[in-house]
Amino acid sequence: MKKTSYIFLFLTTIVISMLAAGCRKAPINGKLDAQWQIMNIEHISDGHNEKPRLRTYIDINLHIVNLRNVTTDEKGGAVIAGNMIYDKDNSKLTLDFPYNKEGEKLTQLQSWGIYTNPITFDIVKLDGKQLVLKSEATVITCRRF
């Protein structure tokens, strides 16, 4: 009797482990899917380097990108949602923010080094710790957060 209950417990544990592992959602974009903190924005035209005055993040998950910054009093700052296309073969990242196409809304994107919408970045470096994006106007250096 005791032996059969151990076998039943063992088999149940194996089945539950297999089911739990099968439900996990894997990142479709590999190392790109993460929260990245912008550490430096280099302006190509004049070589000026700028460190964001607020903690500024790019959150990438599946086909969505969220631009966020956090104010000094820890309250949420701006959050801008957009669509993303990742061309892994050519190391290109295209971002489109459908609600930030013109005027003041387009100007809001400048905190993240984005001056046109939509924008395509070349991915200069992508590993588990650092992301470097290059557009025609800027080079954005991020660390994984």
Side-chain angles (χ1 to χ4, degrees), residues 10-24:
F10 178 73
L11 290 175
T12 304
T13 304
I14 289 174
V15 169
I16 289 173
S17 298
M18 289 172 55
L19 290 174
C23 294
R24 194 172 329 150

Side-chain angles (χ1 to χ4, degrees), residues 21-30 33 61-62:
C23 294
R24 194 172 329 150
K25 188 163 210 136
I28 64 171
N29 299 315
D33 278 354
N61 190 19
L62 301 175

